[in-house]
Amino acid sequence: MFPFILKTNKKMEQKKYIPALGYDFLTAYYDLAIKITMPEKKFRRLLVEEINPKENEHILEFGFGTGQNLLLVQQENPKSKLEGLDIDPKVKAIAEHKLAKKKIKIPLHLYDGNVLPFANETFDKVYSCLVFHQLDAQTKQKCLNELYRVLKPNGKLIIADWGKAQSKLMRLTFGLVQIL
């Protein structure tokens, strides 16, 4: 979901990246794929419970994708101050459409893959859902450093992602999801 852009002297050059569902043309089907292949309601409910948004908390979603989690967190506490950050303009357009349909205004930012566009100690909470499994170890470390930079002291970082499969059946099922 997060391509990485290198800044050069006169122009910006974009490296290849892994879009939602692996291919750019499949991005529009991301929500459907999650609904079919995961216990989506349970997964998202647990995420929102962990985020536990409070009134006036400034919360960032790193990798907002199609905006589904932002909608749920907003619904849980409309008085929290949400922002989203992603690197894929296609998912940003989907998220903006969803938010506009519900007349919800949440700032959505595009990320260049380097420094997060926020000042130090900006957010009370930062969460990320199904992003980190797409990143190599060096990029994960770089992103984590940036996320900690923008967290306020005693802020909370929540990462919801795939864990290691615990059985052969889980590995097989995940393999089928990857093939999809």
Side-chain angles (χ1 to χ4, degrees), residues 24-136:
D24 223 19
F25 74 93
L26 292 175
T27 298
Y29 304 103
Y30 183 80
D31 287 337
L32 178 62
I34 293 298
K35 182 178 259 184
I36 291 170
T37 62
M38 291 180 61
E40 179 189 21
K41 287 182 181 180
K42 179 180 179 182
F43 183 81
R44 293 191 194 279
R45 179 183 49 79
L46 291 170
L47 176 63
V48 172
E49 285 175 8
E50 187 63 33
I51 296 165
N52 190 20
K54 304 288 185 206
E55 186 173 337
N56 296 318
E57 275 188 326
H58 198 178
I59 302 172
L60 173 68
E61 181 171 13
F62 179 76
F64 59 77
T66 63
Q68 196 62 36
N69 294 325
L70 287 169
L71 289 170
L72 294 172
V73 174
Q74 170 74 21
Q75 183 179 13
E76 183 71 16
N77 192 332
K79 294 187 178 186
S80 59
K81 183 181 175 191
L82 299 174
E83 294 194 48
L85 184 72
D86 207 301
I87 203 156
D88 186 339
K90 284 193 175 189
V91 295
K92 182 178 186 242
I94 293 169
E96 287 173 335
H97 177 74
K98 281 183 180 181
L99 293 171
K101 270 184 16 181
K102 298 198 180 256
K103 295 182 169 77
I104 296 172
K105 293 184 180 187
I106 296 173
L108 301 179
H109 310 277
L110 284 176
Y111 172 52
D112 70 2
N114 291 305
V115 177
L116 298 181
F118 307 109
N120 294 351
E121 301 177 1
T122 300
F123 298 98
D124 298 292
K125 295 176 183 169
V126 174
Y127 70 95
S128 180
C129 183
L130 300 178
V131 172
F132 275 79
H133 72 275
Q134 303 232 29
L135 308 175
D136 62 41

Side-chain angles (χ1 to χ4, degrees), residues 163-177:
K164 186 175 181 178
Q166 300 297 311
S167 69
K168 289 181 182 181
L169 177 60
M170 287 176 72
R171 283 190 292 278
L172 174 66
T173 304
F174 185 67
L176 294 173
V177 170

